[in-house]
Amino acid sequence: MPSLPLFPETPSTPATPRAKALVVHERLCAVYGCPIPYFRTQDPLSQLVSALLSHRTRNASSGAAFRQLRARFPTWTEVRDAPCEQVQEAISAVTWPEQKAPRIQQVLRRITELRAGELSLDFLGELSVREARDWLEHLPGVGPKSSAATLLFSRLRMPALPVDSHHHRVAVRLGLIPESTRVGPAHRLLEAQLPPDWDAQRVYDNHEALMLHGQRCCFFREPACQRCAVLDLCPTGQARLAVLD
């Protein structure tokens, strides 16, 4: 579903954070080409494991670790029941494999217990987004980002908004959330700014557009404010350029 204009006559200075969030969405979607194609179609359990592997790890490394894990253990039951050292060896490309291997096995065992022996998360598609996120976040080590990624990026395609470090940085600089807001609590605040009837594609576009903007323009160091498509909405960028001038 294309991201159509929401406010054809939007004022230059939106009155509320929600209004600003929607203008930012439309501007960045124009820059980064929404609708943005999904990059995965895997089942939700596989996506959850991918999310756990990706914590503080580059995408290339976590992807390589995931592929190595699946090559060595073709089923999640085998991962769950394998000696922990073998799982750790298979995911050695990620940051902290000695912590992630036992955590992944712990999560797989807990799912098995809660689902009466069934090692699958497909049932989450029958729940509301909030119910599904709450269920996931009761698992050990699963926070808001992992729960949202499991629902949105997997083949469930549920409209849950993940917030990564790039997305968070852009939102803070734009003033969509207070500077003191940590990434975890930012999920509810930023998700609440989006229309409740948005489907998964629009929520995905929002996450991807803000993330891509953080990767390609709003850098952690030396952001490229001069070519920013939302500079007129960004108090941080305006202040920075005023100092540079």
Side-chain angles (χ1 to χ4, degrees):
M1 177 180 178
S3 290
L4 301 174
L6 294 170
F7 298 106
E9 299 179 1
T10 300
S12 58
T13 305
T16 66
R18 181 177 180 182
K20 180 188 278 192
L22 296 176
V23 176
V24 168
H25 173 87
E26 293 302 324
R27 295 245 197 113
L28 295 184
C29 270
V31 172
Y32 298 109
C34 297
I36 298 171
Y38 278 91
F39 64 96
R40 284 179 184 155
T41 56
Q42 58 192 11
D43 68 274
L45 181 55
S46 296
Q47 180 56 55
L48 175 59
V49 174
S50 294
L52 294 172
L53 288 171
S54 69
H55 181 62
R56 297 296 179 89
T57 301
R58 293 183 180 276
N59 289 340
S61 298
S62 62
F66 182 85
R67 291 189 294 273
Q68 178 62 28
L69 184 64
R70 296 313 305 266
R72 186 158 184 177
F73 304 104
T75 69
W76 294 120
T77 300
E78 290 176 86
V79 174
R80 180 195 67 195
D81 299 338
C84 189
E85 315 83 70
Q86 293 183 16
V87 175
Q88 180 178 331
E89 181 182 344
I91 65 170
S92 59
V94 302
T95 308
W96 306 315
E98 71 284 354
Q99 297 177 23
K100 292 179 180 178
R103 176 53 54 82
I104 288 169
Q105 290 187 304
Q106 184 183 14
V107 166
L108 295 174
R109 287 193 292 268
R110 184 60 178 151
I111 293 170
T112 304
E113 293 169 4
L114 292 172
R115 295 297 298 164
E118 179 188 20
L119 191 49
S120 169
L121 292 178
D122 291 344
F123 78 95
L124 293 174
E126 301 170 7
L127 305 179
S128 69
V129 171
R130 188 68 262 161
E131 290 170 334
R133 293 190 70 168
D134 288 344
W135 196 95
L136 287 167
E137 289 172 29
H138 278 90
L139 297 173
V142 177
K145 181 183 173 184
S146 295
S147 74
T150 299
L151 300 180
L152 182 66
F153 297 157
S154 75
R155 66 189 180 203
L156 292 178
R157 299 291 189 252
M158 296 172 70
L161 180 70
V163 179
D164 71 355
S165 59
H166 300 292
H167 187 157
H168 180 262
R169 180 172 67 254
V170 173
V172 167
R173 287 176 174 172
L174 282 165
L176 296 177
I177 53 176
E179 187 175 358
S180 59
T181 308
R182 293 177 290 109
V183 173
H187 283 77
R188 283 185 184 256
L189 295 177
L190 291 172
E191 195 167 62
Q193 293 173 1
L194 304 182
D197 60 345
W198 271 16
D199 61 9
Q201 180 64 63
R202 276 196 160 180
V203 173
Y204 181 76
D205 287 344
N206 184 261
H207 165 71
E208 290 289 305
L210 269 78
M211 181 192 71
L212 288 170
H213 196 61
Q215 291 176 334
R216 300 179 184 179
C217 182
C218 192
F219 309 119
F220 179 71
R221 294 185 177 85
E222 300 300 324
C225 298
Q226 298 90 335
R227 59 178 176 84
C228 177
V230 289
L231 176 60
D232 61 308
L233 302 174
C234 182
T236 307
Q238 293 172 28
R240 181 172 176 273
L241 290 184
V243 171
L244 293 177
D245 288 344

